[in-house]
Amino acid sequence: MSPIRHRVLYRLTTAFNTVVVEQTGKRFDLAVAAATFATWHPTDYLTGYSWDAITAGCLFHAAGPPDRLLLLGRAGGTVARQLRCLLPDMHLDSIEIDPGVVELGEAYRALQATGVQVHIGDAYRFLRETEQTYDVIADDVYLTGYDDVERPRLPSPDWIRLIRDRLTPGGVALANFVTGDHHDPIFRDARSVFQRTFP
């Protein structure tokens, strides 16, 4: 049996990231310093990584399948693709600050077919300015740091309350956090803020 071939297809430097498009067998990954932030396979929707947990969390809406969902930090669209497969009629908005990442996701991963409404801009500003409410808001906002991904802002009480205020009654708030090393204090602080905001 021949080994699975791995190759770098493209490299793009934007104002926010240096992104590498990698192919391993039939799978395409979008990667930045120390992290793969999106993956696509033509037939496999589940990945075995955190994206599956975010998608599963979106289904915890107590009143049944959500009608409106907001993804903060769309990146390459792994979660959007999974959700569209599971909930084909749901309205799905996504916010991504880096238009280069959106272009790569569409060029290499056929994301136009997901029917997601993509907003290019700052997720924090969008959430402050919109009057729309959502059944689920998933916060997966990360940027590329020097040698690792990092949150552009710490999860403050004001930010978590803003997410809460943009939820419909009984809505679900999700947040993805990297753990380990220097990420753990941020995760612990965020967990504490979530517990206080959603008692």
Side-chain angles (χ1 to χ4, degrees):
M1 183 175 193
S2 60
I4 295 176
R5 185 176 176 199
H6 175 86
R7 60 190 179 135
V8 173
L9 300 177
Y10 193 75
R11 186 180 307 270
L12 174 69
T13 298
T14 72
F16 302 96
N17 298 290
T18 295
V19 183
V20 177
V21 181
E22 302 172 328
Q23 182 179 9
T24 304
K26 295 181 180 180
R27 191 184 81 230
F28 291 86
D29 293 328
L30 300 183
V32 294
T36 297
F37 67 88
T39 191
W40 181 87
H41 188 280
T43 58
D44 297 343
Y45 284 78
L46 294 178
T47 65
Y49 294 100
S50 61
W51 303 295
D52 300 351
I54 296 170
T55 296
C58 293
L59 304 178
F60 289 165
H61 188 245
D67 292 323
R68 297 187 69 87
L69 192 143
L70 175 63
L71 293 174
L72 304 175
R74 171 197 184 261
T78 303
V79 171
R81 181 175 183 246
Q82 291 177 333
L83 286 169
R84 183 55 73 213
C85 176
L86 293 169
L87 303 167
D89 299 323
M90 177 185 61
H91 179 88
L92 183 53
D93 283 328
S94 64
I95 315 299
E96 174 57 49
I97 200 168
D98 192 340
V101 165
V102 172
E103 290 171 13
L104 286 178
E106 292 174 350
Y108 286 93
R109 306 173 64 245
L111 293 176
Q112 299 95 329
T114 62
V116 176
Q117 180 67 46
V118 179
H119 305 269
I120 303 296
D122 182 280
Y124 302 96
R125 178 178 297 166
F126 177 89
L127 206 56
R128 281 195 308 270
E129 294 177 355
T130 187
E131 296 181 2
Q132 180 64 57
T133 56
Y134 295 89
D135 298 320
V136 179
I137 298 175
D139 176 353
D140 193 15
V141 178
Y142 276 92
L143 291 176
T144 307
Y146 178 72
D147 60 358
D148 199 354
V149 292
E150 60 188 31
R151 284 236 165 213
R153 297 184 190 181
L154 298 181
S156 69
D158 288 344
W159 172 240
I160 305 305
R161 280 195 296 270
L162 183 57
I163 290 176
R164 180 197 62 197
D165 293 346
R166 296 296 183 265
L167 288 171
T168 57
V172 176
L174 304 170
N176 182 25
F177 287 94
V178 176
T179 56
D181 299 329
H182 62 279
H183 295 287
D184 280 347
I186 296 170
F187 170 69
R188 285 193 299 269
D189 289 348
R191 183 183 176 117
S192 176
V193 172
F194 266 93
Q195 288 173 331
R196 293 196 304 272
T197 309
F198 294 94

